[in-house]
């Protein structure tokens, strides 16, 4: 009798259980949501999860096309859709056993913002001109996505965050540098701009790249081992990348912005190699050779002599990586504050790189003088610069300072510098055979050498050839 009752109960319950087991909801990563921006004129991957063998269709309203696929045995699915020129709003409809409709989607330019606290710093935390910027931040064609701080020991498939329309309320808690970058692009290009902010204060570069890249390079692995644990964030290679970058791939971006380096003063002598490795690996993983523009860290009173300037010079050397650009901020920093409050000019200078080099706008200055080469002329040294074709100038009292020469003993002494058109000629008392030259070589150096556009020269140090 008991068995009969059990079978009867099972027969009555099964019809209600089986449909629930058979039907799985199609889901999307959080980077796909209402209010998002998709990269214009691009092949876009849309992906998610569903029940194995579930038939899934993705319909885009801008062309009324439908792409179909089937979830694989591990519940993954993806389709490719083609985006048009900038515009919107549009919708995307995803249908499986259930239906998801994404609304208020714009097509435009999407940029990833990453790094540490100077990228993370918000207008609400206090920036110059911040109150006015917040008041006027009603920018419905700028969309913002902030990735929550998370770590993971292995690459993750999703993250925590959401897209929002740029308003005074949403903008004031977003990256200030990112917002001012987007505002400048909007002014010049009049297209929707999407910003993804994935940054974390106090983090070294090692946490933002695939740990395998570091493990496979003995130089990088040895350098990463020098980092000591800190209470405010991760230092182990890959930990932020796994949770805050990997889940974004392959969401199509126009390019990346980077403001980081202060946390790498303990191992700054390999920063150029680290940055090159990170940029190369990101591009490889995204499958796109996107532009990468970054900010050289500002002068600041670091604890050990030269540890800050070493990072700055390594950042300059990292420009050897193709399709990169560097913003120098030595003229808008604060040697007493590691978080300079002028974020407006930082964002504008980053945007100028993008406008000139990515979007082909002409007449836009992108950089101050950058060291190209040095040639000895007897006791003198002539230094040549890129981004100085319209001449070099001394800002302020008219005398160029902060150049030094070394003799065969390797000791540097202050040098007299004279501007000669697009070059600088330096000499120093007692130096008969110069063996090295350096410029603005200290943690707190604020050089006055600029180009005609008023942008400051970067520090450098080089050995001289015979």
């Amino acid at each position: 009798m008991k068995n009969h009752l059990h079978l009867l109960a099972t027969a009555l319950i099964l019809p209600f259980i089986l449909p629930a087991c058979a039907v799985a909801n199609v889901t999307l990563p959080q980077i796909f949501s209402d209010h998002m921006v998709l990269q214009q004129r691009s092949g876009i991957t849309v992906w998610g999860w569903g029940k194995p063998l579930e038939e899934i269709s993705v319909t885009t309203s801008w062309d009324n096309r439908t792409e179909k696929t089937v979830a694989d045995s591990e519940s993954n699915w993806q389709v490719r859709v083609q985006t048009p020129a900038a515009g919107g709003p549009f919708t995307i409809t995803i249908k499986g056993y259930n239906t998801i409709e994404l609304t208020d989607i714009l097509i435009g330019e999407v940029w990833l913002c990453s790094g540490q606290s100077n990228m993370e710093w918000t207008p609400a935390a206090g920036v110059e001109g911040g109150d006015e910027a917040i008041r006027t931040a009603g920018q419905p064609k700028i969309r913002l996505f902030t990735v929550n701080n998370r770590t993971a020991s292995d690459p993750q498939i999703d993250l925590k965050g959401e897209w929002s329309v740029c308003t005074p309320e949403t903008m004031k808690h977003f990256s200030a540098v990112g917002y001012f970058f987007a505002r400048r692009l909007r002014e010049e290009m009049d297209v929707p701009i999407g910003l993804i902010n994935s940054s974390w204060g106090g983090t070294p570069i090692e946490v933002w790249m695939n740990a395998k890249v570091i493990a496979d390079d003995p130089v990088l692995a040895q350098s990463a081992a020098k980092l000591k644990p800190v209470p405010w964030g991760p230092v182990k290679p890959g930990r932020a990348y796994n949770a805050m970058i990997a889940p974004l791939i392959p969401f199509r971006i126009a390019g990346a912005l980077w403001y980081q380096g202060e946390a790498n003063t303990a191992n700054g002598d390999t920063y150029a190699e680290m940055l090159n490795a990170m940029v190369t690996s990101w591009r490889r993983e995204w499958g796109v050779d996107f532009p990468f523009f970054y900010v050289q860290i500002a002068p600041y009173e670091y604890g050990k002599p030269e540890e800050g300037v070493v990072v700055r010079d390594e950042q300059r050397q990292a420009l050897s990586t193709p399709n990169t650009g560097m913003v120098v901020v030595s003229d808008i920093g604060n040697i007493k504050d590691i978080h300079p409050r002028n974020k407006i000019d930082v964002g504008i200078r980053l945007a100028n790189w993008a406008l000139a080099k990515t979007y082909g706008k002409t007449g836009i200055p992108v950089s101050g003088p950058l060291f190209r080469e040095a040639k000895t002329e007897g006791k003198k040294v002539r230094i040549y610069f890129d981004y100085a074709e319209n001449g070099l100038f001394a800002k302020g009292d008219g005398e160029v300072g902060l150049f030094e020469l070394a003799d065969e003993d390797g000791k540097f002494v202050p040098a007299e510098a004279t501007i000669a058109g697009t070059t600088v000629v330096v000499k120093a008392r007692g130096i008969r055979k110069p063996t090295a030259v350096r410029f603005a070589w200290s943690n707190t150096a604020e050089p006055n050498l600029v180009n005609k556009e008023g942008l400051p020269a970067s520090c450098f140090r080089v050995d001289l050839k015979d």
Side-chain angles (χ1 to χ4, degrees):
M1 183 65 176
K2 288 183 179 179
N3 287 341
H4 176 73
L5 291 174
H6 177 74
L7 289 171
L8 178 61
T10 301
L12 291 171
I13 292 171
L14 274 176
F16 297 97
I17 295 178
L18 286 175
C21 294
V23 178
N25 286 334
V26 170
T27 56
L28 298 168
Q30 293 200 31
I31 193 63
F32 290 101
S33 73
D34 296 342
H35 315 304
M36 69 179 172
V37 179
L38 296 177
Q39 182 62 32
Q40 66 172 326
R41 297 190 179 97
S42 299
I44 300 294
T45 301
V46 180
W47 74 94
W49 306 278
K51 186 174 179 61
L53 302 181
E54 182 177 0
E55 295 182 356
I56 295 156
S57 65
V58 177
T59 303
T60 49
S61 73
W62 55 82
D63 56 7
N64 292 316
R65 290 180 61 90
T66 298
E67 301 294 335
K68 296 182 178 181
T69 189
V70 175
D72 67 18
S73 61
E74 296 185 357
S75 296
N76 301 301
W77 61 264
Q78 68 175 41
V79 299
R80 293 274 287 179
V81 301
Q82 189 68 34
T83 56
F90 299 109
T91 62
I92 298 178
T93 304
I94 301 97
K95 288 186 177 181
Y97 293 135
N98 60 304
T99 299
I100 299 173
E101 185 175 65
L102 305 179
T103 63
D104 191 30
I105 297 168
L106 299 182
I107 307 293
E109 295 294 313
V110 182
W111 286 80
L112 171 65
C113 310
S114 190
Q116 56 180 109
S117 54
N118 274 307
M119 180 61 82
E120 191 178 34
W121 203 265
T122 68
V127 300
E128 293 179 10
D131 290 343
E132 174 66 12
I134 293 171
R135 187 182 67 80
T136 59
Q139 298 265 8
K141 290 190 177 180
I142 295 177
R143 305 295 173 83
L144 312 173
F145 186 99
T146 297
V147 178
N148 290 358
N149 289 354
R150 296 285 189 275
T151 62
S153 55
D154 298 293
Q156 302 297 292
I157 61 173
D158 204 1
L159 44 66
K160 185 70 174 176
E162 64 179 356
W163 285 99
S164 61
V165 178
C166 183
T167 66
E169 187 59 33
T170 59
M171 168 271 198
K172 71 181 183 182
H173 300 299
F174 194 76
S175 163
V177 168
Y179 171 75
F180 294 124
F181 168 88
R183 189 177 71 176
R184 169 77 169 139
L185 291 193
R186 280 280 303 141
E187 291 169 352
E188 287 290 325
M189 299 174 62
D190 193 27
V191 299
I193 305 295
L195 297 177
I196 302 168
N197 176 28
S198 185
S199 55
W200 190 333
T203 51
I205 188 173
E206 288 83 352
V207 308
W208 291 104
M209 53 199 294
N210 193 318
K212 189 175 186 302
V213 174
I214 294 175
D216 290 346
D217 187 316
V219 173
L220 299 186
Q222 185 176 20
S223 180
K226 296 178 182 179
L227 297 172
K228 306 298 182 185
V230 294
W232 51 80
V235 298
K236 291 184 178 180
R239 292 308 171 94
Y241 166 86
N242 290 337
M244 299 175 65
I245 297 294
L248 296 171
I249 302 169
F251 192 86
R252 185 64 183 269
I253 59 175
L257 309 177
W258 178 253
Y259 194 165
Q260 190 278 335
E262 298 90 346
N264 281 100
T265 54
N267 61 350
D269 57 340
T270 59
Y271 193 90
E273 293 175 78
M274 283 284 186
L275 187 57
N276 174 67
M278 189 189 78
V279 173
T280 301
S281 63
W282 279 15
R283 288 171 173 169
R284 181 176 61 248
E285 289 154 3
W286 253 279
V288 179
D289 184 24
F290 52 75
F292 187 96
F293 303 130
Y294 58 96
V295 183
Q296 187 184 60
I297 62 173
Y300 174 69
E301 290 181 333
Y302 289 96
K304 296 180 180 178
E306 300 185 4
E307 63 179 357
V309 72
V310 166
V311 173
R312 292 203 299 275
D313 193 44
E314 287 281 318
Q315 290 175 319
R316 178 190 64 83
Q317 294 178 57
L319 287 168
S320 61
T321 303
N323 201 14
T324 59
M326 182 182 74
V327 168
V328 178
V329 293
S330 58
D331 60 329
I332 54 174
N334 184 339
I335 64 172
K336 300 292 185 180
D337 189 346
I338 203 169
H339 303 117
R341 302 310 166 94
N342 184 345
K343 303 302 187 191
I344 295 177
D345 285 327
V346 179
I348 290 173
R349 292 179 187 183
L350 282 168
N352 286 347
W353 269 107
L355 289 168
K357 301 300 182 180
T358 303
Y359 301 117
K361 301 289 184 178
T362 58
I364 296 177
V366 297
S367 177
L370 294 175
F371 172 83
R372 185 170 75 234
E373 64 175 328
K375 296 181 179 179
T376 56
E377 299 176 356
K379 298 178 183 179
K380 300 178 181 180
V381 177
R382 186 178 298 272
I383 303 163
Y384 298 81
F385 295 86
D386 291 324
Y387 301 102
E389 58 274 11
N390 295 320
L392 295 168
F393 302 88
K395 188 176 180 180
D397 62 9
E399 295 183 2
V400 182
L402 301 179
F403 281 92
E404 299 172 277
L405 286 177
D407 210 337
E408 292 175 302
D409 62 3
K411 294 181 179 179
F412 282 93
V413 298
E416 175 188 328
T418 303
I419 293 174
T422 59
T423 66
V424 173
V425 178
V426 295
K427 61 180 181 179
R429 182 177 298 179
I431 301 293
R432 294 181 173 275
K433 186 179 180 182
T435 60
V437 59
R438 66 187 187 185
F439 170 67
W441 199 260
S442 76
N443 288 342
T444 58
E446 298 174 301
N448 67 341
L449 180 65
V450 299
N451 56 15
K452 186 178 180 180
E453 293 74 24
L455 295 173
S458 172
C459 60
F460 67 87
R461 184 208 180 282
V462 292
D463 293 326
L464 299 170
K465 299 177 181 178
D466 293 332

